[in-house]
Amino acid sequence: MDSEQSPIRVALLGGGTVGGAVARKLTSNADALAARVGRPLELVGIAVRRAGRDRSDLGVDPALVTTDAEDLVARADIVVEVIGGFEPARSLILAAMEHGASVVTANKALLAEDGPTLYAAADAHGVDLYYEASVAGAIPILRPIHESLAGDDVRSVLGIVNGTTNFVLDAMDSTGAGYSETVERAQALGYAEADPTADLEGFDAAAKAAILASLAFHTRVSSADVYREGISEVSAGDIEAAREMDCVVKLLSICERVPGEDGDGVSVRVHPAMIPRSHPLASVREAFNAVFVDAAAAGELMFYGQGAGGDPTASAVLGDIVAVARHRVAGGRGPGETAYADLPVLPMGDALTRYHVSLDVADEPGVLAKVAAVFAEQHVSIETVRQQIIEDRDDGRETRGRAQLIVVTHVAPDSALAATVDTLSALPEVAEVTSVMRVVGF
Ligand code: NDP
Ligand code: HSE
Protein backbone atom coordinates (compact mmCIF):
# COMPACT_ATOMS: atom_id res chain seq x y z
CA MET A 1 0.00 0.00 0.00
CA ASP A 2 1.56 3.37 -0.92
CA SER A 3 1.66 6.25 1.51
CA GLU A 4 -1.32 7.92 -0.18
CA GLN A 5 -3.47 4.92 0.75
CA SER A 6 -1.79 3.77 3.94
CA PRO A 7 -4.03 4.07 6.99
CA ILE A 8 -3.80 6.97 9.39
CA ARG A 9 -2.89 5.40 12.74
CA VAL A 10 -5.13 6.42 15.64
CA ALA A 11 -4.20 5.72 19.28
CA LEU A 12 -6.76 6.04 22.04
CA LEU A 13 -5.54 6.98 25.51
CA GLY A 14 -8.45 5.91 27.73
CA GLY A 15 -11.14 3.34 27.10
CA GLY A 16 -13.78 4.52 29.57
CA THR A 17 -17.10 6.29 28.92
CA VAL A 18 -15.80 8.47 26.09
CA GLY A 19 -12.89 6.33 24.87
CA GLY A 20 -15.11 3.25 24.68
CA ALA A 21 -17.72 5.05 22.58
CA VAL A 22 -14.99 6.44 20.28
CA ALA A 23 -13.48 2.95 19.83
CA ARG A 24 -16.84 1.41 18.95
CA LYS A 25 -17.65 4.11 16.38
CA LEU A 26 -14.18 4.00 14.83
CA THR A 27 -14.76 0.30 14.23
CA SER A 28 -18.45 0.25 13.30
CA ASN A 29 -18.26 3.29 11.02
CA ALA A 30 -14.82 2.61 9.53
CA ASP A 31 -15.84 2.66 5.87
CA ALA A 32 -17.74 5.95 6.06
CA LEU A 33 -14.94 7.59 8.06
CA ALA A 34 -12.35 6.42 5.52
CA ALA A 35 -14.45 7.89 2.71
CA ARG A 36 -14.76 11.22 4.55
CA VAL A 37 -11.05 11.41 5.34
CA GLY A 38 -9.76 10.03 2.06
CA ARG A 39 -7.74 7.33 3.82
CA PRO A 40 -8.64 4.61 6.33
CA LEU A 41 -8.31 5.28 10.04
CA GLU A 42 -6.61 2.38 11.80
CA LEU A 43 -7.07 1.99 15.55
CA VAL A 44 -3.58 0.92 16.69
CA GLY A 45 -4.21 0.65 20.41
CA ILE A 46 -6.22 1.67 23.46
CA ALA A 47 -4.31 2.56 26.61
CA VAL A 48 -6.01 1.88 29.94
CA ARG A 49 -4.84 1.96 33.54
CA ARG A 50 -6.01 -1.40 34.88
CA ALA A 51 -4.67 -4.55 33.27
CA GLY A 52 -6.62 -7.79 33.15
CA ARG A 53 -10.14 -6.39 33.04
CA ASP A 54 -12.79 -7.58 30.62
CA ARG A 55 -12.71 -5.08 27.72
CA SER A 56 -15.17 -6.86 25.45
CA ASP A 57 -17.44 -3.78 25.58
CA LEU A 58 -14.85 -1.93 23.47
CA GLY A 59 -15.65 -4.20 20.53
CA VAL A 60 -12.01 -4.40 19.42
CA ASP A 61 -9.31 -7.07 19.20
CA PRO A 62 -8.25 -7.54 22.88
CA ALA A 63 -4.61 -7.41 21.71
CA LEU A 64 -5.10 -3.68 21.05
CA VAL A 65 -5.63 -2.93 24.74
CA THR A 66 -2.45 -1.96 26.56
CA THR A 67 -1.29 -0.38 29.79
CA ASP A 68 1.81 1.00 28.07
CA ALA A 69 0.59 4.40 26.96
CA GLU A 70 4.12 5.76 26.36
CA ASP A 71 4.80 3.05 23.79
CA LEU A 72 1.41 3.60 22.14
CA VAL A 73 1.83 7.36 21.55
CA ALA A 74 5.05 6.66 19.62
CA ARG A 75 3.15 4.48 17.13
CA ALA A 76 0.36 6.85 16.05
CA ASP A 77 -0.37 9.71 13.65
CA ILE A 78 -3.31 10.90 15.78
CA VAL A 79 -3.44 10.50 19.56
CA VAL A 80 -6.82 10.85 21.25
CA GLU A 81 -6.46 11.67 24.94
CA VAL A 82 -9.59 10.72 26.90
CA ILE A 83 -7.99 9.80 30.22
CA GLY A 84 -8.75 13.13 31.90
CA GLY A 85 -6.91 14.99 34.68
CA PHE A 86 -3.45 16.52 34.57
CA GLU A 87 -0.96 13.65 34.69
CA PRO A 88 -0.17 11.47 32.86
CA ALA A 89 -2.44 13.16 30.27
CA ARG A 90 -0.21 16.24 29.86
CA SER A 91 3.05 14.26 29.50
CA LEU A 92 1.45 11.82 27.06
CA ILE A 93 0.08 14.66 24.90
CA LEU A 94 3.48 16.36 24.82
CA ALA A 95 5.21 13.06 23.99
CA ALA A 96 2.70 12.39 21.20
CA MET A 97 3.41 15.80 19.65
CA GLU A 98 7.14 15.23 19.94
CA HIS A 99 6.64 12.06 17.90
CA GLY A 100 4.80 14.14 15.27
CA ALA A 101 1.26 13.06 16.13
CA SER A 102 -1.71 15.43 16.12
CA VAL A 103 -3.73 15.39 19.31
CA VAL A 104 -7.46 15.33 19.97
CA THR A 105 -8.51 15.70 23.60
CA ALA A 106 -11.67 16.16 25.67
CA ASN A 107 -9.69 17.29 28.71
CA LYS A 108 -11.09 20.68 29.79
CA ALA A 109 -9.30 20.64 33.13
CA LEU A 110 -5.88 20.35 31.47
CA LEU A 111 -6.65 22.82 28.67
CA ALA A 112 -7.91 25.44 31.12
CA GLU A 113 -4.89 24.93 33.37
CA ASP A 114 -2.12 24.64 30.81
CA GLY A 115 -3.49 25.25 27.30
CA PRO A 116 -0.63 27.58 26.21
CA THR A 117 1.97 24.84 26.89
CA LEU A 118 0.02 22.41 24.72
CA TYR A 119 -0.45 24.97 21.94
CA ALA A 120 3.26 25.87 22.02
CA ALA A 121 4.19 22.20 21.66
CA ALA A 122 1.71 21.79 18.77
CA ASP A 123 3.32 24.79 17.02
CA ALA A 124 6.85 23.56 17.71
CA HIS A 125 6.11 20.16 16.17
CA GLY A 126 3.80 21.36 13.39
CA VAL A 127 0.81 19.27 14.52
CA ASP A 128 -2.86 19.91 15.35
CA LEU A 129 -4.40 20.27 18.80
CA TYR A 130 -8.22 19.90 18.69
CA TYR A 131 -10.56 19.75 21.67
CA GLU A 132 -14.19 20.29 20.63
CA ALA A 133 -15.47 17.73 23.17
CA SER A 134 -13.94 19.59 26.12
CA VAL A 135 -16.80 22.11 26.30
CA ALA A 136 -20.48 21.15 26.11
CA GLY A 137 -19.97 17.57 24.90
CA ALA A 138 -21.73 17.01 21.58
CA ILE A 139 -22.46 20.68 20.89
CA PRO A 140 -20.25 22.16 18.16
CA ILE A 141 -19.25 25.38 19.90
CA LEU A 142 -15.45 25.72 19.93
CA ARG A 143 -14.88 25.49 16.19
CA PRO A 144 -17.82 27.83 15.49
CA ILE A 145 -16.20 30.40 17.80
CA HIS A 146 -12.60 29.74 16.71
CA GLU A 147 -13.23 29.36 12.98
CA SER A 148 -16.76 30.30 11.84
CA LEU A 149 -16.77 33.54 13.88
CA ALA A 150 -13.09 34.34 13.21
CA GLY A 151 -14.15 37.27 11.02
CA ASP A 152 -16.53 38.71 13.60
CA ASP A 153 -16.08 40.24 17.05
CA VAL A 154 -17.59 38.21 19.86
CA ARG A 155 -19.07 40.44 22.56
CA SER A 156 -20.25 37.80 25.00
CA VAL A 157 -20.69 34.10 25.56
CA LEU A 158 -23.29 32.96 28.09
CA GLY A 159 -23.44 29.26 28.72
CA ILE A 160 -25.05 26.46 30.63
CA VAL A 161 -22.10 24.11 30.23
CA ASN A 162 -22.51 21.77 33.19
CA GLY A 163 -25.27 19.19 32.91
CA THR A 164 -25.13 18.02 36.52
CA THR A 165 -25.87 21.45 37.99
CA ASN A 166 -28.52 22.16 35.38
CA PHE A 167 -30.24 18.88 36.25
CA VAL A 168 -30.21 19.75 39.97
CA LEU A 169 -31.44 23.34 39.52
CA ASP A 170 -34.12 22.28 37.04
CA ALA A 171 -35.34 19.54 39.39
CA MET A 172 -35.42 22.00 42.32
CA ASP A 173 -37.51 24.35 40.16
CA SER A 174 -39.97 21.72 39.00
CA THR A 175 -40.40 19.88 42.34
CA GLY A 176 -39.81 22.61 44.94
CA ALA A 177 -37.40 20.24 46.70
CA GLY A 178 -34.28 21.37 48.56
CA TYR A 179 -30.68 21.17 47.36
CA SER A 180 -29.39 18.13 49.28
CA GLU A 181 -32.29 15.83 48.50
CA THR A 182 -32.16 16.84 44.83
CA VAL A 183 -28.43 16.09 44.61
CA GLU A 184 -29.10 12.66 46.16
CA ARG A 185 -31.80 12.05 43.55
CA ALA A 186 -29.46 13.15 40.74
CA GLN A 187 -26.85 10.69 42.02
CA ALA A 188 -29.40 7.86 42.19
CA LEU A 189 -30.44 8.58 38.60
CA GLY A 190 -26.81 8.68 37.40
CA TYR A 191 -26.83 12.41 36.57
CA ALA A 192 -24.36 13.29 39.32
CA GLU A 193 -21.13 11.46 40.07
CA ALA A 194 -20.43 9.78 43.41
CA ASP A 195 -18.14 12.77 44.18
CA PRO A 196 -19.93 15.62 42.42
CA THR A 197 -17.78 18.41 43.91
CA ALA A 198 -16.16 19.51 40.64
CA ASP A 199 -19.58 19.92 39.06
CA LEU A 200 -21.57 21.34 41.98
CA GLU A 201 -18.90 23.81 43.10
CA GLY A 202 -18.47 25.17 39.57
CA PHE A 203 -14.91 23.96 38.85
CA ASP A 204 -16.00 22.10 35.70
CA ALA A 205 -17.97 25.10 34.42
CA ALA A 206 -15.06 27.44 35.24
CA ALA A 207 -12.62 25.35 33.17
CA LYS A 208 -15.08 25.45 30.27
CA ALA A 209 -15.55 29.22 30.70
CA ALA A 210 -11.78 29.71 30.49
CA ILE A 211 -11.65 27.77 27.21
CA LEU A 212 -14.62 29.65 25.75
CA ALA A 213 -13.25 33.07 26.76
CA SER A 214 -9.77 32.29 25.40
CA LEU A 215 -11.19 31.47 21.98
CA ALA A 216 -13.86 34.18 21.93
CA PHE A 217 -11.55 37.04 22.91
CA HIS A 218 -8.18 35.87 21.46
CA THR A 219 -6.76 36.11 24.96
CA ARG A 220 -5.26 33.59 27.34
CA VAL A 221 -7.67 32.87 30.16
CA SER A 222 -6.94 30.06 32.62
CA SER A 223 -9.25 28.49 35.18
CA ALA A 224 -7.43 30.47 37.89
CA ASP A 225 -8.64 33.69 36.19
CA VAL A 226 -12.30 32.68 36.43
CA TYR A 227 -14.43 33.91 39.33
CA ARG A 228 -16.34 30.87 40.58
CA GLU A 229 -19.34 30.15 42.78
CA GLY A 230 -21.11 26.80 42.70
CA ILE A 231 -24.72 25.94 43.47
CA SER A 232 -24.36 24.42 46.95
CA GLU A 233 -25.73 27.59 48.59
CA VAL A 234 -28.82 27.73 46.38
CA SER A 235 -31.88 27.01 48.52
CA ALA A 236 -35.47 26.13 47.77
CA GLY A 237 -36.21 29.70 48.95
CA ASP A 238 -33.93 31.15 46.25
CA ILE A 239 -35.71 29.08 43.61
CA GLU A 240 -39.07 30.29 44.94
CA ALA A 241 -37.84 33.91 44.96
CA ALA A 242 -36.80 33.49 41.32
CA ARG A 243 -40.21 32.04 40.48
CA GLU A 244 -41.89 35.11 41.99
CA MET A 245 -39.83 37.23 39.58
CA ASP A 246 -40.84 34.92 36.70
CA CYS A 247 -37.23 33.73 36.60
CA VAL A 248 -35.34 30.45 36.90
CA VAL A 249 -31.98 29.90 38.57
CA LYS A 250 -29.19 28.59 36.34
CA LEU A 251 -25.46 28.09 36.85
CA LEU A 252 -24.08 30.38 34.16
CA SER A 253 -20.63 30.61 32.63
CA ILE A 254 -20.40 34.25 31.60
CA CYS A 255 -17.65 35.58 29.31
CA GLU A 256 -17.89 39.25 28.37
CA ARG A 257 -15.72 41.71 26.53
CA VAL A 258 -15.97 44.88 28.61
CA PRO A 259 -15.21 48.23 26.96
CA GLY A 260 -13.14 50.57 29.12
CA GLU A 261 -11.68 54.06 28.86
CA ASP A 262 -8.16 52.62 28.88
CA GLY A 263 -9.02 49.76 26.54
CA ASP A 264 -11.18 46.68 26.67
CA GLY A 265 -10.93 43.91 29.24
CA VAL A 266 -12.64 40.56 29.69
CA SER A 267 -14.84 39.41 32.52
CA VAL A 268 -15.10 35.64 33.01
CA ARG A 269 -17.21 34.25 35.80
CA VAL A 270 -19.30 31.27 36.89
CA HIS A 271 -22.11 31.67 39.39
CA PRO A 272 -25.78 30.89 39.89
CA ALA A 273 -28.04 33.61 38.54
CA MET A 274 -31.71 34.33 38.06
CA ILE A 275 -32.65 34.63 34.41
CA PRO A 276 -36.09 35.46 33.04
CA ARG A 277 -38.19 32.48 31.96
CA SER A 278 -38.49 34.19 28.56
CA HIS A 279 -34.70 33.97 27.99
CA PRO A 280 -33.66 31.15 25.60
CA LEU A 281 -31.34 29.68 28.26
CA ALA A 282 -34.25 29.34 30.73
CA SER A 283 -35.79 26.60 28.60
CA VAL A 284 -32.67 24.41 28.88
CA ARG A 285 -33.97 21.54 31.00
CA GLU A 286 -32.52 18.53 32.79
CA ALA A 287 -28.85 17.79 31.96
CA PHE A 288 -28.81 19.57 28.61
CA ASN A 289 -26.28 22.29 27.79
CA ALA A 290 -26.62 25.47 25.74
CA VAL A 291 -24.36 28.34 24.79
CA PHE A 292 -25.63 31.77 23.79
CA VAL A 293 -23.15 33.85 21.77
CA ASP A 294 -23.47 37.53 20.91
CA ALA A 295 -21.20 38.78 18.12
CA ALA A 296 -21.02 42.25 16.61
CA ALA A 297 -22.13 41.33 13.09
CA ALA A 298 -23.79 37.94 13.58
CA GLY A 299 -25.93 39.10 16.50
CA GLU A 300 -27.28 36.44 18.85
CA LEU A 301 -26.58 32.75 18.23
CA MET A 302 -27.76 29.80 20.31
CA PHE A 303 -26.16 26.34 20.44
CA TYR A 304 -28.04 23.57 22.27
CA GLY A 305 -27.62 19.85 22.89
CA GLN A 306 -26.22 17.07 25.04
CA GLY A 307 -23.21 18.15 27.08
CA ALA A 308 -22.05 14.73 28.23
CA GLY A 309 -22.38 10.99 27.81
CA GLY A 310 -20.32 8.48 25.83
CA ASP A 311 -21.93 8.69 22.39
CA PRO A 312 -22.65 12.45 22.35
CA THR A 313 -19.09 13.26 23.46
CA ALA A 314 -17.67 10.71 21.01
CA SER A 315 -19.46 12.59 18.22
CA ALA A 316 -17.34 15.68 18.97
CA VAL A 317 -14.14 13.63 19.37
CA LEU A 318 -14.73 11.85 16.06
CA GLY A 319 -15.41 15.15 14.32
CA ASP A 320 -11.99 16.32 15.52
CA ILE A 321 -10.34 13.06 14.45
CA VAL A 322 -11.77 13.46 10.95
CA ALA A 323 -10.70 17.12 10.82
CA VAL A 324 -7.08 16.48 11.82
CA ALA A 325 -6.92 13.34 9.62
CA ARG A 326 -8.06 15.44 6.65
CA HIS A 327 -5.23 17.88 7.38
CA ARG A 328 -2.79 14.96 7.28
CA VAL A 329 -4.19 13.87 3.91
CA ALA A 330 -4.18 17.36 2.41
CA GLY A 331 -1.00 18.52 4.17
CA GLY A 332 -0.99 21.44 6.60
CA ARG A 333 -2.67 22.16 9.91
CA GLY A 334 -5.78 23.76 11.29
CA PRO A 335 -5.71 27.11 13.08
CA GLY A 336 -3.67 27.26 16.26
CA GLU A 337 -3.95 29.53 19.29
CA THR A 338 -4.87 33.15 18.64
CA ALA A 339 -3.96 35.06 21.76
CA TYR A 340 -2.90 38.27 20.01
CA ALA A 341 -5.49 40.49 21.72
CA ASP A 342 -4.02 39.74 25.16
CA LEU A 343 -6.81 41.60 26.96
CA PRO A 344 -6.62 41.99 30.73
CA VAL A 345 -8.90 39.72 32.74
CA LEU A 346 -10.89 42.02 35.01
CA PRO A 347 -11.48 41.28 38.70
CA MET A 348 -14.95 40.16 39.74
CA GLY A 349 -15.49 43.44 41.55
CA ASP A 350 -15.50 45.24 38.19
CA ALA A 351 -18.17 43.00 36.67
CA LEU A 352 -21.38 44.89 35.99
CA THR A 353 -24.35 42.94 37.25
CA ARG A 354 -27.64 43.18 39.12
CA TYR A 355 -28.55 41.73 42.49
CA HIS A 356 -31.75 40.32 43.97
CA VAL A 357 -31.48 40.71 47.75
CA SER A 358 -33.95 39.37 50.34
CA LEU A 359 -33.74 40.83 53.83
CA ASP A 360 -35.47 39.87 57.04
CA VAL A 361 -36.01 43.27 58.74
CA ALA A 362 -37.83 44.89 61.63
CA ASP A 363 -41.13 46.32 60.36
CA GLU A 364 -40.64 49.71 62.00
CA PRO A 365 -40.67 53.33 60.87
CA GLY A 366 -37.47 54.40 59.12
CA VAL A 367 -36.15 50.92 58.36
CA LEU A 368 -36.83 51.12 54.65
CA ALA A 369 -35.09 54.52 54.53
CA LYS A 370 -32.03 53.12 56.33
CA VAL A 371 -31.86 50.17 53.96
CA ALA A 372 -32.24 52.47 50.94
CA ALA A 373 -29.48 54.73 52.29
CA VAL A 374 -27.02 51.82 52.34
CA PHE A 375 -27.66 51.20 48.64
CA ALA A 376 -27.32 54.93 47.93
CA GLU A 377 -23.98 55.16 49.80
CA GLN A 378 -22.54 52.57 47.40
CA HIS A 379 -24.13 54.33 44.37
CA VAL A 380 -26.28 51.29 43.74
CA SER A 381 -29.59 52.22 42.19
CA ILE A 382 -32.64 50.28 43.33
CA GLU A 383 -35.02 49.12 40.60
CA THR A 384 -37.80 47.58 42.68
CA VAL A 385 -38.59 47.03 46.35
CA ARG A 386 -41.27 44.70 47.62
CA GLN A 387 -42.26 44.14 51.24
CA GLN A 388 -44.29 41.39 52.83
CA ILE A 389 -45.05 40.85 56.49
CA ILE A 390 -43.50 37.64 57.71
CA GLU A 391 -44.29 37.64 61.41
CA ASP A 392 -46.28 39.60 63.99
CA ARG A 393 -45.38 39.57 67.64
CA ASP A 394 -46.61 41.47 70.67
CA ASP A 395 -43.87 42.53 73.13
CA GLY A 396 -46.46 43.73 75.61
CA ARG A 397 -46.13 47.46 74.99
CA GLU A 398 -46.69 47.73 71.29
CA THR A 399 -47.16 45.47 68.35
CA ARG A 400 -44.01 44.97 66.34
CA GLY A 401 -43.54 42.84 63.31
CA ARG A 402 -40.91 41.59 60.94
CA ALA A 403 -40.99 41.93 57.24
CA GLN A 404 -39.25 40.50 54.25
CA LEU A 405 -37.84 43.16 51.96
CA ILE A 406 -36.99 42.10 48.45
CA VAL A 407 -34.76 44.55 46.60
CA VAL A 408 -33.79 44.24 42.96
CA THR A 409 -31.06 46.60 41.81
CA HIS A 410 -30.12 48.19 38.55
CA VAL A 411 -26.75 47.28 37.06
CA ALA A 412 -23.77 48.18 39.27
CA PRO A 413 -20.21 46.98 39.83
CA ASP A 414 -20.16 43.71 41.75
CA SER A 415 -17.83 45.25 44.36
CA ALA A 416 -20.42 47.94 45.16
CA LEU A 417 -23.19 45.35 45.41
CA ALA A 418 -21.09 43.11 47.65
CA ALA A 419 -20.20 46.06 49.92
CA THR A 420 -23.89 46.98 50.09
CA VAL A 421 -24.80 43.48 51.26
CA ASP A 422 -21.99 43.50 53.86
CA THR A 423 -23.21 46.80 55.30
CA LEU A 424 -26.83 45.66 55.30
CA SER A 425 -25.86 42.52 57.22
CA ALA A 426 -24.42 44.70 60.00
CA LEU A 427 -27.48 46.98 60.38
CA PRO A 428 -29.28 46.36 63.70
CA GLU A 429 -32.61 46.65 61.90
CA VAL A 430 -31.68 43.75 59.58
CA ALA A 431 -32.17 40.40 61.31
CA GLU A 432 -30.74 38.52 58.36
CA VAL A 433 -29.83 38.86 54.70
CA THR A 434 -31.70 35.72 53.69
CA SER A 435 -30.70 35.51 50.05
CA VAL A 436 -28.46 37.23 47.52
CA MET A 437 -28.48 36.26 43.89
CA ARG A 438 -27.26 37.92 40.72
CA VAL A 439 -29.80 38.65 38.01
CA VAL A 440 -28.81 38.21 34.36
CA GLY A 441 -30.43 38.43 30.96
CA PHE A 442 -33.08 41.14 31.19
P1 NDP B 1 -13.50 7.46 32.42
O1 NDP B 1 -13.11 7.54 33.85
O2 NDP B 1 -14.77 6.76 32.07
O3 NDP B 1 -12.35 6.76 31.57
C1 NDP B 1 -10.99 7.08 31.78
C2 NDP B 1 -10.16 6.06 31.03
O4 NDP B 1 -8.79 6.43 31.15
C3 NDP B 1 -10.28 4.63 31.57
O5 NDP B 1 -10.30 3.70 30.52
C4 NDP B 1 -9.01 4.49 32.40
O6 NDP B 1 -8.54 3.15 32.46
C5 NDP B 1 -8.06 5.31 31.59
N1 NDP B 1 -6.93 5.75 32.38
C6 NDP B 1 -6.93 6.36 33.59
N2 NDP B 1 -5.68 6.59 34.00
C7 NDP B 1 -4.86 6.11 33.03
C8 NDP B 1 -3.45 6.05 32.88
N3 NDP B 1 -2.64 6.52 33.82
N4 NDP B 1 -2.96 5.48 31.76
C9 NDP B 1 -3.78 4.99 30.81
N5 NDP B 1 -5.13 5.03 30.90
C10 NDP B 1 -5.65 5.58 32.00
O7 NDP B 1 -13.51 8.97 31.89
P2 NDP B 1 -14.45 9.61 30.76
O8 NDP B 1 -14.40 8.78 29.54
O9 NDP B 1 -15.77 9.94 31.36
O10 NDP B 1 -13.73 11.02 30.51
C11 NDP B 1 -12.56 11.11 29.75
C12 NDP B 1 -12.28 12.58 29.42
O11 NDP B 1 -13.36 13.10 28.68
C13 NDP B 1 -12.10 13.49 30.64
O12 NDP B 1 -11.16 14.48 30.35
C14 NDP B 1 -13.48 14.13 30.78
O13 NDP B 1 -13.45 15.37 31.42
C15 NDP B 1 -13.85 14.28 29.32
N6 NDP B 1 -15.29 14.37 29.07
C16 NDP B 1 -16.12 13.41 29.54
C17 NDP B 1 -17.47 13.49 29.29
C18 NDP B 1 -18.40 12.42 29.76
O14 NDP B 1 -19.62 12.54 29.53
N7 NDP B 1 -17.93 11.36 30.40
C19 NDP B 1 -18.05 14.62 28.54
C20 NDP B 1 -17.07 15.56 28.03
C21 NDP B 1 -15.73 15.44 28.32
P3 NDP B 1 -9.38 2.00 33.21
O15 NDP B 1 -10.48 1.66 32.25
O16 NDP B 1 -8.39 0.91 33.39
O17 NDP B 1 -9.87 2.60 34.49
N1 HSE C 1 -19.53 16.53 34.41
C1 HSE C 1 -19.91 17.27 33.25
C2 HSE C 1 -21.33 17.77 33.39
C3 HSE C 1 -19.83 16.46 31.98
O1 HSE C 1 -22.02 17.50 34.38
O2 HSE C 1 -21.77 18.47 32.49
C4 HSE C 1 -18.47 16.46 31.40
O3 HSE C 1 -18.11 17.71 30.89
Side-chain angles (χ1 to χ4, degrees):
M1 202 179 281
D2 66 31
S3 65
E4 285 187 10
Q5 293 170 326
S6 61
I8 294 176
R9 299 166 302 163
V10 179
L12 266 179
L13 307 182
T17 305
V18 179
V22 172
R24 287 186 289 276
K25 297 222 176 289
L26 274 174
T27 311
S28 64
N29 213 15
D31 291 346
L33 293 171
R36 291 169 202 172
V37 169
R39 266 164 66 184
L41 299 175
E42 181 192 356
L43 182 59
V44 292
I46 305 176
V48 296
R49 185 183 43 193
R50 293 167 295 178
R53 293 178 71 89
D54 175 16
R55 302 285 176 177
S56 53
D57 62 317
L58 298 175
V60 299
D61 178 353
L64 290 179
V65 180
T66 175
T67 52
D68 191 347
E70 286 87 355
D71 169 69
L72 182 58
V73 299
R75 301 190 273 116
D77 303 305
I78 298 173
V79 169
V80 181
E81 184 279 304
V82 280
I83 293 174
F86 301 120
E87 288 296 348
R90 176 186 358 228
S91 300
L92 290 168
I93 288 174
L94 295 175
M97 290 175 172
E98 227 168 272
H99 287 293
S102 289
V103 169
V104 172
T105 177
N107 194 333
K108 61 254 172 178
L110 177 58
L111 286 157
E113 169 95 1
D114 209 8
T117 303
L118 304 186
Y119 265 127
D123 280 345
H125 300 293
V127 297
D128 277 327
L129 171 65
Y130 273 48
Y131 46 89
E132 183 63 68
S134 64
V135 177
I139 304 174
I141 181 64
L142 300 188
R143 272 195 271 155
I145 290 176
H146 195 36
E147 300 184 31
S148 314
L149 290 169
D152 205 338
D153 292 310
V154 175
R155 291 190 288 226
S156 65
V157 180
L158 197 62
I160 295 172
V161 291
N162 183 269
T164 306
T165 45
N166 202 58
F167 181 89
V168 170
L169 293 172
D170 182 47
M172 287 173 75
D173 180 55
S174 51
T175 65
Y179 172 77
S180 301
E181 68 177 284
T182 309
V183 169
E184 279 170 26
R185 198 175 134 232
Q187 283 173 313
L189 291 171
Y191 285 103
E193 294 182 22
D195 178 3
T197 313
D199 292 314
L200 299 178
E201 295 303 338
F203 291 100
D204 177 78
K208 291 166 178 169
I211 295 169
L212 288 166
S214 299
L215 294 175
F217 306 127
H218 310 281
T219 288
R220 287 180 175 172
V221 179
S222 77
S223 36
D225 295 320
V226 182
Y227 174 84
R228 177 192 54 77
E229 279 177 31
I231 65 164
S232 54
E233 301 293 320
V234 177
S235 66
D238 293 326
I239 302 281
E240 182 55 33
R243 182 186 298 284
E244 283 167 12
M245 297 242 311
D246 205 23
C247 286
V248 286
V249 177
K250 296 288 186 191
L251 184 73
L252 296 180
S253 294
I254 302 173
C255 315
E256 286 173 335
R257 185 173 179 131
V258 183
E261 283 173 16
D262 303 324
D264 292 0
V266 297
S267 174
V268 192
R269 50 198 199 266
V270 170
H271 55 69
M274 294 182 183
I275 59 169
R277 281 182 193 268
S278 56
H279 192 284
L281 288 178
S283 59
V284 178
R285 305 285 312 271
E286 301 181 336
F288 278 82
N289 283 195
V291 183
F292 193 73
V293 179
D294 181 28
E300 293 176 343
L301 305 162
M302 174 91 163
F303 303 77
Y304 170 86
Q306 296 190 66
D311 281 351
T313 309
S315 166
V317 171
L318 283 154
D320 281 355
I321 294 173
V322 169
V324 304
R326 284 173 169 162
H327 299 158
R328 296 239 150 197
V329 171
R333 305 164 60 202
E337 183 186 32
T338 57
Y340 72 89
D342 197 22
L343 301 174
V345 181
L346 303 173
M348 182 60 192
D350 289 2
L352 294 177
T353 188
R354 300 171 63 204
Y355 271 27
H356 173 287
V357 186
S358 299
L359 308 162
D360 181 346
V361 298
D363 187 16
E364 292 169 3
V367 171
L368 184 56
K370 281 188 182 159
V371 166
V374 173
F375 282 86
E377 276 160 24
Q378 294 292 340
H379 306 287
V380 173
S381 176
I382 292 172
E383 184 186 302
T384 60
V385 184
R386 194 154 53 87
Q387 174 175 313
Q388 56 196 40
I389 303 303
I390 52 176
E391 187 185 319
D392 283 323
R393 74 168 182 270
D394 189 345
D395 67 1
R397 287 173 299 161
E398 59 190 46
T399 301
R400 293 182 178 199
R402 286 178 36 218
Q404 185 184 38
L405 274 185
I406 298 163
V407 180
V408 179
T409 73
H410 284 293
V411 167
D414 199 82
S415 54
L417 290 159
T420 303
V421 171
D422 281 351
T423 311
L424 288 170
S425 307
L427 277 188
E429 293 82 359
V430 174
E432 192 186 357
V433 178
T434 47
S435 139
V436 180
M437 181 132 346
R438 296 181 182 87
V439 182
V440 169
F442 277 86

